[in-house]
Amino acid sequence: MSPFPLTSTSLLDYNRYLSLLVGNTTYSPSSFDLLATTTVTGATADTITFSNLSSYSSTYKHLQLRMVMRDNRSGYTGSYARLRFNNDSGSNYSVHALYGTGSGIGSGSEINSTSVHAGEINAPNAPSGAFAPAVLDILDAFSTNKNKTTRLFAGTVNYDWLGLWSGHWRSTAAVDSISIISPLGDFVTGCRFSLYGLKAV
Amino acid sequence: MPTPTYTALATVTLGGSDTEIIFSSIPQSYRDLVVVIGGSANAGTSPSLRFNNDSGSNYNIVRMYANASTYSSQSFNATYGSVGFMNTEKSTVVAHIMDYSATDKHKTALGRSSNTETLRLEIVRWANTSAITTLEVRMDGGSLYSTGTVMSLYGIAG
């Protein structure tokens, strides 16, 4: 086999280690990697999908979504996002919630839902430029002997809503695709959805 | 191609006389910032964020908390964005600052804290589309971070 010629464009993202000998800088591979980002630009979108995720199954244990969301639900200050795995739209999901409304604390649950909660969404009656943030963890995403669980931290100040949500997908299938859905409107320009992989040893 | 991230940008260990820490000249090459505080304060107080030295009443906050005897939620405006609770007990605070380098969005932060007494969650919106270049993490009411409290700032690509 002839040597593969490296060019400068072959090395776009790297850390340079002079040596792995004792006394030199420790080689420290990342445990938290950005896998993909989708930003809505131009046309609106009612669903954002990350697919072919099983290709990451040998490298990562957990997944994390970091999102900021706004939609075009006319006449409203906000709405909400939902999430499905592997295009499963059956009644195979459950949700539990603990939330604050700015004046009180509440809790709730959904049994046999067709998706899990994925965060709040700001809508046109919220101030221009206001997007609702969400951080959602998917635990043991690629396990084939566990049902999948999610943990969401999200909220918005535009209609005083903040909380923690757990989600449960009654399937032992490895996660291959994730769809984030805006059921009451379309995601608008500026929405951002970033997917990360977390390693484990 | 996966991109390694969650990069440590700065860490400070405090000496007991600080009521605020300022991270300046924040690189604009990440999508989100994460502030992690581990330690305590000399009194019950709220570690809070102030962006780009903006001391106007431009921070909207929703808070929820619970302790052994009560729970509550409030919403209010302030001249800084509270992201947790600390007191003389050992506390952990984590604040996610989303899309901090964007110039088309108000900035938001999700904060949570816990110690042996109180669990608190908060969301902050800073009504400003400027990219965040300076981040002040201050104690409400002039309280002090206790000696040995560690504060770290991370950048997350996205």
Side-chain angles (χ1 to χ4, degrees), chain A residues 23-150:
Chain A
N24 290 331
T25 302
T26 304
Y27 172 61
S28 179
S30 170
S31 296
F32 188 97
D33 294 348
L34 171 66
L35 304 181
T37 288
T38 297
T39 303
V40 178
T41 56
T44 59
D46 63 1
T47 303
I48 302 296
T49 300
F50 296 100
S51 54
N52 299 318
L53 301 180
S54 56
S55 63
Y56 296 118
S57 62
S58 62
T59 308
Y60 301 99
K61 184 80 165 175
H62 313 297
L63 297 173
Q64 183 176 95
L65 280 165
R66 304 176 67 87
M67 306 174 279
V68 296
M69 295 178 281
R70 184 179 176 98
D71 74 8
N72 60 1
R73 186 189 184 197
S74 180
Y76 288 86
T77 302
S79 56
Y80 55 85
R82 305 291 292 192
L83 181 147
R84 285 181 181 144
F85 296 113
N86 296 7
N87 299 311
D88 180 4
S89 58
S91 300
N92 299 315
Y93 303 83
S94 301
V95 178
H96 286 82
L98 173 64
Y99 56 86
T101 64
S103 57
I105 300 284
S107 66
S109 66
E110 303 171 32
I111 307 299
N112 298 328
S113 287
T114 58
S115 57
V116 297
H117 193 59
E120 306 306 305
I121 302 178
N122 285 339
N125 284 6
S128 176
F131 288 71
V135 178
L136 186 148
D137 293 297
I138 303 162
L139 305 177
D140 256 350
F142 304 111
S143 169
T144 55
N145 56 26
K146 295 174 186 164
N147 292 347
K148 305 305 176 291
T149 54
T150 63

Side-chain angles (χ1 to χ4, degrees), chain B residues 5-71:
Chain B
T5 190
Y6 221 122
T7 304
L9 303 179
T11 292
V12 290
T13 301
L14 305 176
S17 60
D18 296 303
T19 191
E20 63 187 24
I21 297 298
I22 298 174
F23 298 103
S24 59
S25 302
I26 295 172
Q28 299 296 295
S29 49
Y30 298 93
R31 180 74 79 157
D32 301 329
L33 297 173
V34 178
V35 178
V36 179
I37 307 170
S40 56
N42 67 340
T45 187
S46 302
S48 303
L49 308 180
R50 180 171 280 170
F51 304 125
N52 294 0
N53 302 309
D54 180 6
S55 59
S57 186
N58 298 316
Y59 302 81
N60 307 121
I61 298 133
V62 179
R63 168 185 296 167
M64 58 185 287
Y65 70 90
N67 58 36
S69 59
T70 188
Y71 54 86

Side-chain angles (χ1 to χ4, degrees), chain B residues 5 7 9-10 24 35 38 40 58 85 88 97 110 118 122 143 146 148-149 153 156:
Chain B
T5 190
T7 304
L9 303 179
S24 59
V35 178
S40 56
N58 298 316
F85 175 78
T88 56
I97 304 166
L110 290 163
T118 299
E122 308 205 50
S143 297
S146 297
T149 295
L153 179 67
I156 298 182

Side-chain angles (χ1 to χ4, degrees), chain B residues 101-123:
Chain B
S101 57
T103 56
D104 60 346
K105 300 181 178 79
H106 293 180
K107 303 304 175 292
T108 53
L110 290 163
R112 60 180 168 85
S113 67
S114 58
N115 63 20
T116 56
E117 295 183 359
T118 299
L119 169 68
R120 187 188 281 189
L121 306 177
E122 308 205 50
I123 181 171

